[in-house]
Amino acid sequence: MADNISDPGYKIKNGDAAFHEKGTEIYRVKDKQYLIAVKEPHEINEYRIYFARDKMEDEWYFKNMPMEKVKRVEIYHTTLSGENKKIKELTSLEEINQLLHILKKSENKPDFQTSMRNGDPEYYEIVFYTSDPIAHKYSMQFDGITFYWYPWETAVLSNDISNFIKKK
């Protein structure tokens, strides 16, 4: 948009491309008419998925994820520079259910304030694979004291989650 619109009063409208270069390839997601994918090398699995908020927003809430269909979970340590390092892969139903139990028991705290006493928090991504064409991904952070994540609103996790994170 910045290179193509000079009117400071211009209102962005549906269909305007504000984040990608002209000519960026856009892909459809099989069997998901409201989703598109754009190749993004720094993303886990190298694609970023976009959806029309008014059409599918609720599908991405953790509580609406088809938990009974989860076949595999990957946990990544991520950096602000975009590096993703897989630190754990869960394939056993027992481990997957243990992780899901911890996540389901998290306490919603939309006004949670992260501690900066230890500097920037550690960043993680948890990716849930089902038979659907796309995976569900949620961000998690650790500020040196508390693990918290974003199933939609900020929620605080039990320290039991540390059993799924490799110690440095």
Side-chain angles (χ1 to χ4, degrees), residues 107-125:
E107 183 180 351
N108 284 338
K109 291 201 174 194
D111 57 346
F112 173 77
Q113 295 292 314
T114 185
S115 170
M116 297 303 285
R117 185 177 343 158
N118 299 316
D120 288 335
E122 293 289 321
Y123 293 88
Y124 301 91
E125 298 286 351

Side-chain angles (χ1 to χ4, degrees), residues 16-140:
D16 286 344
F19 303 107
H20 296 286
E21 295 293 321
K22 184 177 181 178
T24 298
E25 290 188 50
I26 298 173
Y27 303 92
R28 289 183 204 243
V29 177
K30 183 179 179 179
D31 298 328
K32 299 283 186 178
Q33 68 182 15
Y34 295 110
L35 297 179
I36 60 172
V38 175
K39 193 142 182 74
E40 185 72 47
H42 294 294
E43 287 290 325
I44 295 168
N45 297 324
E46 296 189 349
Y47 287 90
R48 179 170 292 206
I49 304 295
Y50 294 92
F51 63 93
R53 275 194 197 275
D54 60 330
K55 303 289 184 194
M56 296 188 67
E57 187 170 31
D58 289 349
E59 184 173 328
W60 306 113
Y61 283 95
F62 175 73
K63 68 181 181 182
N64 295 336
M65 181 180 74
M67 294 180 208
E68 70 284 353
K69 292 183 176 181
V70 175
K71 297 176 180 184
R72 181 170 49 106
V73 178
E74 295 174 346
I75 302 174
Y76 291 82
H77 180 261
T78 63
T79 65
L80 294 175
S81 64
E83 295 175 50
N84 299 302
K85 180 182 178 190
K86 188 185 336 179
I87 59 172
K88 190 81 166 179
E89 183 170 351
L90 309 175
T91 55
S92 90
L93 194 54
E94 181 180 351
E95 279 187 309
I96 291 169
N97 285 333
Q98 287 172 357
L99 176 63
L100 288 170
H101 177 75
I102 292 167
L103 296 173
K104 286 189 253 182
K105 295 293 183 189
S106 63
E107 183 180 351
N108 284 338
K109 291 201 174 194
D111 57 346
F112 173 77
Q113 295 292 314
T114 185
S115 170
M116 297 303 285
R117 185 177 343 158
N118 299 316
D120 288 335
E122 293 289 321
Y123 293 88
Y124 301 91
E125 298 286 351
I126 307 172
V127 184
F128 297 90
Y129 295 91
T130 65
S131 57
D132 288 340
I134 59 169
H136 292 255
K137 180 178 78 167
Y138 302 93
S139 297
M140 179 177 71

